[in-house]
Short mmCIF file of all heavy atoms in Angstrom, two decimals:
data_model
loop_
_atom_site.label_atom_id
_atom_site.label_comp_id
_atom_site.label_asym_id
_atom_site.label_seq_id
_atom_site.Cartn_x
_atom_site.Cartn_y
_atom_site.Cartn_z
N VAL A 1 2.28 1.36 -21.32
CA VAL A 1 2.08 2.45 -20.51
C VAL A 1 3.25 2.60 -19.52
O VAL A 1 3.49 1.58 -18.78
CB VAL A 1 0.69 2.40 -19.74
CG1 VAL A 1 0.61 3.49 -18.67
CG2 VAL A 1 -0.44 2.23 -20.75
N THR A 2 4.02 3.71 -19.44
CA THR A 2 5.01 3.88 -18.50
C THR A 2 4.50 4.82 -17.46
O THR A 2 4.01 5.95 -17.73
CB THR A 2 6.30 4.46 -19.20
OG1 THR A 2 6.59 3.55 -20.25
CG2 THR A 2 7.37 4.62 -18.25
N VAL A 3 4.69 4.44 -16.23
CA VAL A 3 4.35 5.27 -15.04
C VAL A 3 5.55 5.57 -14.34
O VAL A 3 6.41 4.81 -13.89
CB VAL A 3 3.37 4.51 -14.24
CG1 VAL A 3 3.09 5.38 -12.97
CG2 VAL A 3 2.10 4.09 -14.83
N SER A 4 5.77 6.91 -14.11
CA SER A 4 7.02 7.42 -13.33
C SER A 4 6.83 7.56 -11.92
O SER A 4 7.72 7.57 -11.12
CB SER A 4 7.58 8.66 -14.01
OG SER A 4 6.61 9.63 -13.87
N SER A 5 5.59 7.93 -11.50
CA SER A 5 5.40 8.08 -10.06
C SER A 5 3.96 7.70 -9.71
O SER A 5 3.08 7.65 -10.57
CB SER A 5 5.65 9.48 -9.68
OG SER A 5 4.74 10.27 -10.15
N ALA A 6 3.81 7.39 -8.43
CA ALA A 6 2.33 7.01 -7.97
C ALA A 6 2.16 7.50 -6.63
O ALA A 6 3.10 7.83 -5.81
CB ALA A 6 2.15 5.52 -8.00
N ASP A 7 0.81 7.70 -6.20
CA ASP A 7 0.43 8.03 -4.84
C ASP A 7 0.02 6.77 -4.27
O ASP A 7 -0.83 5.99 -4.95
CB ASP A 7 -0.60 9.06 -4.95
CG ASP A 7 -0.23 10.46 -5.51
OD1 ASP A 7 1.02 10.69 -5.54
OD2 ASP A 7 -1.09 11.17 -5.94
N ILE A 8 0.30 6.48 -3.05
CA ILE A 8 -0.10 5.34 -2.40
C ILE A 8 -0.68 5.60 -1.01
O ILE A 8 -0.44 6.70 -0.39
CB ILE A 8 1.03 4.24 -2.13
CG1 ILE A 8 2.09 4.77 -1.16
CG2 ILE A 8 1.63 3.85 -3.48
CD1 ILE A 8 3.05 3.70 -0.71
N ALA A 9 -1.68 4.81 -0.66
CA ALA A 9 -2.33 4.93 0.68
C ALA A 9 -2.57 3.50 1.18
O ALA A 9 -2.85 2.65 0.35
CB ALA A 9 -3.54 5.76 0.50
N ILE A 10 -2.51 3.33 2.47
CA ILE A 10 -2.95 2.07 3.08
C ILE A 10 -4.12 2.47 3.99
O ILE A 10 -4.03 3.43 4.85
CB ILE A 10 -1.70 1.49 4.00
CG1 ILE A 10 -0.57 1.16 2.97
CG2 ILE A 10 -2.32 0.28 4.74
CD1 ILE A 10 0.69 0.66 3.68
N LEU A 11 -5.18 1.83 3.77
CA LEU A 11 -6.51 2.09 4.46
C LEU A 11 -6.78 0.83 5.47
O LEU A 11 -6.61 -0.28 5.09
CB LEU A 11 -7.62 2.17 3.58
CG LEU A 11 -7.31 3.26 2.48
CD1 LEU A 11 -8.33 3.01 1.20
CD2 LEU A 11 -7.58 4.65 2.88
N ASP A 12 -7.30 1.19 6.50
CA ASP A 12 -7.82 0.18 7.48
C ASP A 12 -9.28 -0.31 7.06
O ASP A 12 -9.84 0.19 6.12
CB ASP A 12 -7.85 0.52 8.96
CG ASP A 12 -8.70 1.66 9.30
OD1 ASP A 12 -9.65 2.03 8.49
OD2 ASP A 12 -8.62 2.04 10.49
N LEU A 13 -9.93 -1.28 7.69
CA LEU A 13 -11.18 -1.81 7.24
C LEU A 13 -12.26 -0.75 7.47
O LEU A 13 -13.34 -0.83 6.80
CB LEU A 13 -11.54 -3.06 8.12
CG LEU A 13 -10.85 -4.30 7.73
CD1 LEU A 13 -11.23 -5.42 8.66
CD2 LEU A 13 -11.23 -4.73 6.34
N ASN A 14 -12.06 0.39 8.16
CA ASN A 14 -13.08 1.37 8.40
C ASN A 14 -12.86 2.47 7.32
O ASN A 14 -13.52 3.49 7.31
CB ASN A 14 -13.03 1.98 9.76
CG ASN A 14 -13.39 0.97 10.75
OD1 ASN A 14 -14.39 0.22 10.68
ND2 ASN A 14 -12.68 0.81 11.87
N GLY A 15 -11.96 2.32 6.42
CA GLY A 15 -11.59 3.19 5.38
C GLY A 15 -10.71 4.38 5.76
O GLY A 15 -10.61 5.34 5.19
N ARG A 16 -10.22 4.30 7.00
CA ARG A 16 -9.31 5.38 7.49
C ARG A 16 -7.96 5.09 6.89
O ARG A 16 -7.47 4.06 6.92
CB ARG A 16 -9.21 5.37 9.04
CG ARG A 16 -10.57 5.92 9.71
CD ARG A 16 -10.29 5.83 11.15
NE ARG A 16 -10.01 4.53 11.64
CZ ARG A 16 -10.72 3.84 12.58
NH1 ARG A 16 -11.69 4.41 13.19
NH2 ARG A 16 -10.46 2.62 12.96
N THR A 17 -7.30 6.27 6.49
CA THR A 17 -5.83 6.30 5.93
C THR A 17 -5.00 6.08 7.14
O THR A 17 -4.91 6.89 7.93
CB THR A 17 -5.57 7.47 5.14
OG1 THR A 17 -6.49 7.59 4.07
CG2 THR A 17 -4.12 7.42 4.50
N VAL A 18 -4.24 5.01 7.19
CA VAL A 18 -3.23 4.77 8.20
C VAL A 18 -1.84 5.17 7.61
O VAL A 18 -0.84 5.29 8.41
CB VAL A 18 -3.31 3.39 8.75
CG1 VAL A 18 -4.62 3.07 9.47
CG2 VAL A 18 -3.01 2.33 7.66
N TYR A 19 -1.74 5.37 6.36
CA TYR A 19 -0.38 5.71 5.84
C TYR A 19 -0.71 6.26 4.33
O TYR A 19 -1.50 5.73 3.68
CB TYR A 19 0.54 4.56 5.63
CG TYR A 19 1.83 4.93 4.95
CD1 TYR A 19 2.85 5.48 5.58
CD2 TYR A 19 2.03 4.61 3.59
CE1 TYR A 19 4.05 5.84 4.92
CE2 TYR A 19 3.09 5.04 3.02
CZ TYR A 19 4.17 5.58 3.61
OH TYR A 19 5.28 5.92 2.91
N SER A 20 -0.02 7.24 3.97
CA SER A 20 -0.06 7.77 2.61
C SER A 20 1.35 8.39 2.27
O SER A 20 2.00 8.98 3.14
CB SER A 20 -1.12 8.82 2.48
OG SER A 20 -0.91 9.88 3.12
N SER A 21 1.68 8.32 1.03
CA SER A 21 2.74 8.95 0.41
C SER A 21 2.46 9.41 -1.03
O SER A 21 1.81 8.65 -1.76
CB SER A 21 4.00 8.07 0.54
OG SER A 21 5.15 8.74 0.16
N SER A 22 3.07 10.45 -1.42
CA SER A 22 2.88 11.05 -2.80
C SER A 22 4.15 10.96 -3.69
O SER A 22 5.23 11.06 -3.12
CB SER A 22 2.32 12.40 -2.75
OG SER A 22 1.18 12.50 -2.13
N ASP A 23 3.93 10.87 -4.95
CA ASP A 23 5.02 10.87 -5.90
C ASP A 23 6.10 9.78 -5.62
O ASP A 23 7.33 10.07 -5.65
CB ASP A 23 5.72 12.22 -5.91
CG ASP A 23 4.72 13.38 -6.49
OD1 ASP A 23 3.95 12.91 -7.42
OD2 ASP A 23 4.84 14.49 -6.01
N ILE A 24 5.70 8.61 -5.35
CA ILE A 24 6.62 7.44 -5.17
C ILE A 24 7.14 7.03 -6.51
O ILE A 24 6.29 6.76 -7.44
CB ILE A 24 5.84 6.27 -4.51
CG1 ILE A 24 5.27 6.61 -3.28
CG2 ILE A 24 6.80 4.98 -4.42
CD1 ILE A 24 6.26 7.07 -2.19
N PRO A 25 8.38 7.03 -6.69
CA PRO A 25 9.09 6.59 -8.01
C PRO A 25 8.63 5.20 -8.23
O PRO A 25 8.85 4.29 -7.37
CB PRO A 25 10.49 6.85 -7.90
CG PRO A 25 10.71 7.34 -6.59
CD PRO A 25 9.58 7.45 -5.87
N VAL A 26 8.24 4.89 -9.43
CA VAL A 26 7.89 3.48 -9.80
C VAL A 26 8.02 3.21 -11.32
O VAL A 26 7.98 4.10 -12.01
CB VAL A 26 6.37 3.13 -9.52
CG1 VAL A 26 5.42 4.08 -10.22
CG2 VAL A 26 6.01 1.72 -9.66
N SER A 27 8.55 1.97 -11.55
CA SER A 27 8.57 1.61 -13.07
C SER A 27 8.04 0.28 -13.16
O SER A 27 8.05 -0.52 -12.27
CB SER A 27 10.05 1.59 -13.42
OG SER A 27 10.76 0.56 -12.90
N PRO A 28 7.66 -0.12 -14.42
CA PRO A 28 6.95 -1.42 -14.57
C PRO A 28 8.07 -2.61 -14.26
O PRO A 28 7.56 -3.68 -13.90
CB PRO A 28 6.62 -1.49 -16.08
CG PRO A 28 6.55 0.00 -16.44
CD PRO A 28 7.42 0.78 -15.63
N ALA A 29 9.24 -2.34 -14.51
CA ALA A 29 10.25 -3.38 -14.28
C ALA A 29 10.64 -3.67 -12.86
O ALA A 29 10.82 -4.64 -12.39
CB ALA A 29 11.60 -3.07 -15.07
N THR A 30 10.66 -2.61 -12.06
CA THR A 30 11.00 -2.79 -10.65
C THR A 30 9.90 -2.60 -9.64
O THR A 30 10.03 -3.04 -8.50
CB THR A 30 12.08 -1.77 -10.26
OG1 THR A 30 11.64 -0.41 -10.42
CG2 THR A 30 13.40 -1.97 -11.12
N GLY A 31 8.80 -1.97 -9.94
CA GLY A 31 7.79 -1.74 -8.93
C GLY A 31 8.25 -0.78 -7.87
O GLY A 31 9.07 0.03 -8.01
N PHE A 32 7.73 -1.05 -6.62
CA PHE A 32 8.18 -0.24 -5.48
C PHE A 32 7.92 -1.10 -4.19
O PHE A 32 7.24 -2.02 -4.23
CB PHE A 32 7.40 1.04 -5.33
CG PHE A 32 5.96 0.97 -5.16
CD1 PHE A 32 5.42 0.81 -3.91
CD2 PHE A 32 5.11 0.87 -6.33
CE1 PHE A 32 4.11 0.70 -3.74
CE2 PHE A 32 3.74 0.82 -6.09
CZ PHE A 32 3.22 0.74 -4.79
N THR A 33 8.50 -0.61 -3.09
CA THR A 33 8.39 -1.37 -1.88
C THR A 33 7.70 -0.47 -0.75
O THR A 33 7.99 0.72 -0.77
CB THR A 33 9.73 -1.87 -1.27
OG1 THR A 33 10.36 -2.62 -2.40
CG2 THR A 33 9.61 -2.59 -0.01
N VAL A 34 6.70 -1.09 -0.10
CA VAL A 34 6.10 -0.38 0.97
C VAL A 34 6.62 -0.91 2.34
O VAL A 34 6.21 -1.92 2.81
CB VAL A 34 4.53 -0.42 1.03
CG1 VAL A 34 3.93 0.29 2.07
CG2 VAL A 34 3.99 -0.08 -0.46
N ARG A 35 7.65 -0.15 2.90
CA ARG A 35 8.31 -0.67 4.16
C ARG A 35 7.38 -0.31 5.45
O ARG A 35 7.73 -0.77 6.47
CB ARG A 35 9.68 -0.07 4.27
CG ARG A 35 10.54 -0.61 3.18
CD ARG A 35 12.01 -0.13 3.32
NE ARG A 35 12.73 -0.29 2.21
CZ ARG A 35 13.23 -1.48 1.77
NH1 ARG A 35 13.04 -2.44 2.49
NH2 ARG A 35 13.99 -1.60 0.66
N ILE A 36 6.51 0.55 5.32
CA ILE A 36 5.67 0.97 6.48
C ILE A 36 4.95 -0.14 7.06
O ILE A 36 4.49 -0.16 8.25
CB ILE A 36 4.81 2.26 6.09
CG1 ILE A 36 4.10 2.77 7.35
CG2 ILE A 36 3.70 1.73 5.24
CD1 ILE A 36 5.11 3.53 8.23
N LEU A 37 4.65 -1.24 6.29
CA LEU A 37 3.80 -2.24 6.77
C LEU A 37 4.46 -3.06 7.95
O LEU A 37 3.68 -3.41 8.92
CB LEU A 37 3.71 -3.45 5.78
CG LEU A 37 2.93 -3.06 4.49
CD1 LEU A 37 2.94 -4.23 3.49
CD2 LEU A 37 1.41 -2.74 4.98
N SER A 38 5.74 -2.94 8.28
CA SER A 38 6.36 -3.51 9.42
C SER A 38 5.89 -2.88 10.70
O SER A 38 5.91 -3.50 11.76
CB SER A 38 7.90 -3.52 9.26
OG SER A 38 8.33 -2.24 9.33
N SER A 39 5.51 -1.61 10.64
CA SER A 39 5.12 -0.82 11.83
C SER A 39 3.62 -1.00 12.24
O SER A 39 3.04 -0.53 13.32
CB SER A 39 5.45 0.61 11.80
OG SER A 39 4.86 1.25 10.73
N LEU A 40 2.86 -1.45 11.22
CA LEU A 40 1.40 -1.66 11.51
C LEU A 40 1.07 -2.96 12.22
O LEU A 40 1.72 -3.96 12.14
CB LEU A 40 0.63 -1.78 10.10
CG LEU A 40 0.63 -0.53 9.17
CD1 LEU A 40 0.04 -0.73 7.89
CD2 LEU A 40 0.03 0.66 9.90
N PRO A 41 0.00 -2.86 13.09
CA PRO A 41 -0.39 -4.08 13.75
C PRO A 41 -0.96 -5.16 12.81
O PRO A 41 -1.33 -4.74 11.67
CB PRO A 41 -1.37 -3.63 14.73
CG PRO A 41 -1.87 -2.22 14.28
CD PRO A 41 -0.75 -1.68 13.36
N GLU A 42 -1.17 -6.35 13.29
CA GLU A 42 -1.77 -7.35 12.49
C GLU A 42 -3.12 -6.94 12.13
O GLU A 42 -3.85 -6.39 12.89
CB GLU A 42 -1.85 -8.72 13.16
CG GLU A 42 -0.43 -9.43 13.42
CD GLU A 42 -0.61 -10.73 13.96
OE1 GLU A 42 -1.67 -11.11 14.54
OE2 GLU A 42 0.33 -11.54 13.79
N GLY A 43 -3.70 -7.40 10.90
CA GLY A 43 -4.98 -7.03 10.41
C GLY A 43 -5.08 -6.98 8.97
O GLY A 43 -4.29 -7.39 8.35
N ILE A 44 -6.24 -6.67 8.57
CA ILE A 44 -6.56 -6.50 7.13
C ILE A 44 -6.51 -5.01 6.79
O ILE A 44 -7.14 -4.29 7.41
CB ILE A 44 -7.91 -7.19 6.86
CG1 ILE A 44 -7.88 -8.59 7.20
CG2 ILE A 44 -8.25 -7.00 5.26
CD1 ILE A 44 -9.31 -9.37 7.09
N TYR A 45 -5.90 -4.73 5.64
CA TYR A 45 -5.80 -3.46 5.07
C TYR A 45 -5.99 -3.51 3.62
O TYR A 45 -5.95 -4.40 2.96
CB TYR A 45 -4.30 -2.91 5.39
CG TYR A 45 -3.97 -2.81 6.83
CD1 TYR A 45 -3.34 -3.90 7.46
CD2 TYR A 45 -4.24 -1.66 7.51
CE1 TYR A 45 -3.03 -3.79 8.86
CE2 TYR A 45 -3.94 -1.47 8.90
CZ TYR A 45 -3.34 -2.66 9.58
OH TYR A 45 -2.92 -2.65 10.83
N PHE A 46 -6.24 -2.25 3.10
CA PHE A 46 -6.28 -2.08 1.59
C PHE A 46 -5.16 -1.15 1.13
O PHE A 46 -4.99 -0.10 1.74
CB PHE A 46 -7.64 -1.50 1.25
CG PHE A 46 -8.77 -2.49 1.65
CD1 PHE A 46 -9.46 -2.42 2.71
CD2 PHE A 46 -9.05 -3.41 0.60
CE1 PHE A 46 -10.47 -3.24 3.01
CE2 PHE A 46 -10.07 -4.41 0.82
CZ PHE A 46 -10.75 -4.37 2.13
N LEU A 47 -4.37 -1.54 0.13
CA LEU A 47 -3.43 -0.76 -0.59
C LEU A 47 -4.04 -0.05 -1.70
O LEU A 47 -4.66 -0.74 -2.56
CB LEU A 47 -2.23 -1.62 -0.98
CG LEU A 47 -1.17 -0.89 -1.83
CD1 LEU A 47 -0.44 0.16 -1.10
CD2 LEU A 47 -0.26 -1.90 -2.34
N LYS A 48 -4.02 1.25 -1.77
CA LYS A 48 -4.55 2.04 -2.92
C LYS A 48 -3.45 2.79 -3.57
O LYS A 48 -2.70 3.51 -2.89
CB LYS A 48 -5.55 3.09 -2.24
CG LYS A 48 -6.18 3.97 -3.31
CD LYS A 48 -7.19 4.87 -2.69
CE LYS A 48 -7.78 5.90 -3.66
NZ LYS A 48 -8.57 6.92 -3.02
N ILE A 49 -3.29 2.46 -4.82
CA ILE A 49 -2.30 3.09 -5.69
C ILE A 49 -2.94 3.85 -6.74
O ILE A 49 -3.78 3.35 -7.46
CB ILE A 49 -1.40 1.93 -6.42
CG1 ILE A 49 -0.88 1.15 -5.33
CG2 ILE A 49 -0.36 2.57 -7.27
CD1 ILE A 49 -0.03 -0.16 -5.84
N SER A 50 -2.61 5.16 -6.86
CA SER A 50 -3.11 6.08 -7.83
C SER A 50 -2.06 6.56 -8.83
O SER A 50 -1.07 7.06 -8.35
CB SER A 50 -3.86 7.34 -7.16
OG SER A 50 -4.83 6.94 -6.23
N THR A 51 -2.42 6.44 -10.01
CA THR A 51 -1.46 6.92 -10.99
C THR A 51 -2.20 7.71 -12.09
O THR A 51 -2.88 7.10 -12.85
CB THR A 51 -0.72 5.85 -11.68
OG1 THR A 51 -1.63 4.91 -12.38
CG2 THR A 51 0.17 5.04 -10.77
N GLY A 52 -2.10 9.03 -12.06
CA GLY A 52 -2.88 9.78 -12.97
C GLY A 52 -4.34 9.63 -12.90
O GLY A 52 -4.85 9.85 -11.70
N ASN A 53 -5.13 9.05 -13.81
CA ASN A 53 -6.50 8.89 -13.65
C ASN A 53 -6.92 7.37 -13.36
O ASN A 53 -8.03 7.00 -13.47
CB ASN A 53 -7.27 9.30 -14.92
CG ASN A 53 -6.75 8.61 -16.15
OD1 ASN A 53 -5.87 7.79 -16.10
ND2 ASN A 53 -7.57 8.76 -17.29
N LYS A 54 -5.99 6.52 -12.98
CA LYS A 54 -6.10 5.14 -12.63
C LYS A 54 -6.00 4.93 -11.19
O LYS A 54 -5.04 5.49 -10.56
CB LYS A 54 -5.24 4.19 -13.52
CG LYS A 54 -5.49 4.34 -15.02
CD LYS A 54 -4.65 3.31 -15.73
CE LYS A 54 -4.75 3.49 -17.25
NZ LYS A 54 -5.95 3.38 -17.86
N VAL A 55 -6.90 4.00 -10.65
CA VAL A 55 -6.65 3.62 -9.24
C VAL A 55 -6.80 2.15 -9.07
O VAL A 55 -7.52 1.48 -9.74
CB VAL A 55 -7.87 4.22 -8.33
CG1 VAL A 55 -7.76 3.85 -6.89
CG2 VAL A 55 -7.80 5.77 -8.33
N PHE A 56 -5.80 1.52 -8.37
CA PHE A 56 -5.73 0.12 -8.16
C PHE A 56 -5.84 -0.07 -6.65
O PHE A 56 -5.28 0.58 -5.88
CB PHE A 56 -4.34 -0.40 -8.78
CG PHE A 56 -4.05 -1.69 -8.31
CD1 PHE A 56 -4.57 -2.81 -8.99
CD2 PHE A 56 -3.18 -2.12 -7.22
CE1 PHE A 56 -4.40 -4.15 -8.76
CE2 PHE A 56 -2.94 -3.45 -6.93
CZ PHE A 56 -3.49 -4.38 -7.60
N MET A 57 -6.69 -1.04 -6.27
CA MET A 57 -6.88 -1.37 -4.89
C MET A 57 -6.54 -2.89 -4.68
O MET A 57 -6.87 -3.80 -5.49
CB MET A 57 -8.30 -1.17 -4.43
CG MET A 57 -8.75 0.23 -4.43
SD MET A 57 -8.26 1.22 -2.97
CE MET A 57 -9.28 0.53 -1.71
N GLN A 58 -5.91 -3.11 -3.55
CA GLN A 58 -5.44 -4.57 -3.30
C GLN A 58 -5.66 -4.79 -1.75
O GLN A 58 -5.17 -4.02 -1.03
CB GLN A 58 -4.10 -4.89 -3.76
CG GLN A 58 -3.52 -6.26 -3.40
CD GLN A 58 -4.33 -7.36 -4.19
OE1 GLN A 58 -4.35 -7.09 -5.49
NE2 GLN A 58 -4.68 -8.34 -3.52
N LYS A 59 -6.26 -5.87 -1.39
CA LYS A 59 -6.41 -6.23 -0.09
C LYS A 59 -5.01 -6.81 0.48
O LYS A 59 -4.45 -7.63 -0.21
CB LYS A 59 -7.56 -7.34 0.15
CG LYS A 59 -7.81 -7.63 1.61
CD LYS A 59 -9.07 -8.39 1.79
CE LYS A 59 -8.85 -9.87 1.86
NZ LYS A 59 -9.98 -10.68 2.19
N LEU A 60 -4.66 -6.43 1.65
CA LEU A 60 -3.47 -6.87 2.27
C LEU A 60 -3.91 -7.61 3.66
O LEU A 60 -4.72 -7.05 4.40
CB LEU A 60 -2.39 -5.78 2.68
CG LEU A 60 -1.98 -4.99 1.60
CD1 LEU A 60 -1.24 -3.73 1.93
CD2 LEU A 60 -1.13 -5.83 0.65
N ILE A 61 -3.27 -8.73 4.00
CA ILE A 61 -3.40 -9.36 5.29
C ILE A 61 -2.11 -9.31 5.91
O ILE A 61 -1.12 -9.92 5.48
CB ILE A 61 -3.95 -10.76 5.16
CG1 ILE A 61 -5.36 -10.77 4.48
CG2 ILE A 61 -4.14 -11.39 6.70
CD1 ILE A 61 -5.97 -12.09 4.13
N LYS A 62 -1.91 -8.46 7.14
CA LYS A 62 -0.66 -8.38 7.79
C LYS A 62 -0.60 -9.31 8.85
O LYS A 62 -1.56 -9.30 9.73
CB LYS A 62 -0.61 -6.90 8.29
CG LYS A 62 0.50 -6.66 9.28
CD LYS A 62 1.83 -6.71 8.60
CE LYS A 62 2.96 -6.04 9.51
NZ LYS A 62 3.21 -6.39 10.78
N THR A 63 0.35 -10.17 8.93
CA THR A 63 0.58 -11.11 10.06
C THR A 63 2.05 -10.85 10.56
O THR A 63 2.91 -10.38 9.82
CB THR A 63 0.43 -12.54 9.68
OG1 THR A 63 1.35 -12.87 8.65
CG2 THR A 63 -1.00 -12.82 9.11
N ASN A 64 2.26 -11.25 11.74
CA ASN A 64 3.61 -11.15 12.37
C ASN A 64 4.07 -12.53 12.48
O ASN A 64 4.10 -13.11 13.60
CB ASN A 64 3.53 -10.40 13.68
CG ASN A 64 3.16 -9.03 13.53
OD1 ASN A 64 3.66 -8.36 12.61
ND2 ASN A 64 2.52 -8.35 14.42
N ASN A 65 4.55 -13.10 11.35
CA ASN A 65 5.09 -14.47 11.46
C ASN A 65 6.50 -14.42 11.99
O ASN A 65 7.43 -14.00 11.15
CB ASN A 65 5.08 -15.15 10.08
CG ASN A 65 3.64 -15.42 9.66
OD1 ASN A 65 2.80 -15.63 10.54
ND2 ASN A 65 3.40 -15.43 8.40
N GLN A 66 6.82 -14.81 13.10
CA GLN A 66 8.21 -14.78 13.61
C GLN A 66 8.59 -16.29 13.89
O GLN A 66 7.90 -16.89 14.73
CB GLN A 66 8.23 -14.05 14.90
CG GLN A 66 7.91 -12.45 14.71
CD GLN A 66 8.13 -11.83 15.96
OE1 GLN A 66 8.30 -12.38 16.98
NE2 GLN A 66 7.79 -10.50 15.88
N GLN A 67 9.53 -16.86 13.22
CA GLN A 67 9.89 -18.16 13.31
C GLN A 67 11.19 -18.38 13.98
O GLN A 67 12.14 -17.61 13.84
CB GLN A 67 9.99 -18.81 11.85
CG GLN A 67 8.46 -18.86 11.29
CD GLN A 67 8.62 -19.49 9.84
OE1 GLN A 67 9.62 -20.02 9.35
NE2 GLN A 67 7.58 -19.27 9.18
#
């Protein structure tokens, strides 16, 4: 299956969308990068990726590790 674009959303624990973007170019070989995470506070989030009729959800734990 080849996917050329996806819609992404980052949700907080209350289900509120804190970031969303449509038609993100993506390929199985390279994937994509979500740079907005650096501006979010520490916490637990969910990444939602929608491609056509498929939806993928992944839990994210954001920490500010500064060494």
